Amino acid sequence: LSMVFGHGLRKIDRLFGSEEIKFADPFGIGPVPSLALVVFAEVVCAVLLAIGLFTRLSLIPLIITMLVAAFYAHWSDPFSDKEMSILYLTAYTALLLTGPGWFSVDAQWQARK
């Protein structure tokens, strides 16, 4: 949930605010769609991850977002500026490899089957 409250909600304000959107466009789709995809990852996918619903599927957009943040948007920044995205990337990758925990919604669904 720290992704949602620390990063995602601020980007929602940028997406729906009245100011012109200036955002990284690593895939050439434009700054507004790029920001919308990041908001989807950092809010929707992070909430799904927090409750353990569609865990591995929700991790894919989060991993892509952190890869772009660390190695594209903050590439020329000092390490201290990209450290947080690398930490999130490491945790998300570990969760992708290990899967949801026992208390996740995914695990509870599997247990009932």
Side-chain angles (χ1 to χ4, degrees):
L1 291 175
S2 65
M3 177 59 73
V4 175
F5 293 111
H7 304 277
L9 294 180
R10 284 188 287 188
K11 288 184 180 81
I12 287 177
D13 290 339
R14 288 176 63 186
L15 185 62
F16 296 109
S18 59
E19 295 180 24
E20 180 184 359
I21 295 175
K22 296 178 183 175
F23 197 75
D25 184 20
F27 302 112
I29 61 174
V32 175
S34 294
L35 179 58
L37 288 172
V38 169
V39 167
F40 170 76
E42 292 184 357
V43 176
V44 176
C45 292
V47 168
L48 289 173
L49 178 63
I51 62 174
L53 182 60
F54 307 118
T55 303
R56 286 194 165 120
L57 192 59
S58 66
L59 282 163
I60 294 169
L62 287 165
I63 289 172
I64 293 169
T65 300
M66 292 303 103
L67 281 168
V68 170
F71 300 111
Y72 181 82
H74 297 290
W75 179 252
S76 61
D77 295 346
F79 180 75
S80 61
D81 290 345
K82 50 183 139 183
E83 181 179 14
M84 186 62 72
S85 56
I86 292 171
L87 288 172
Y88 276 117
L89 175 62
T90 303
Y92 293 154
T93 304
L95 286 170
L96 183 70
L97 295 173
T98 60
W102 172 249
F103 294 107
S104 69
V105 174
D106 290 340
Q108 297 304 314
W109 279 355
Q110 288 292 342
R112 290 186 184 177
K113 288 182 180 178

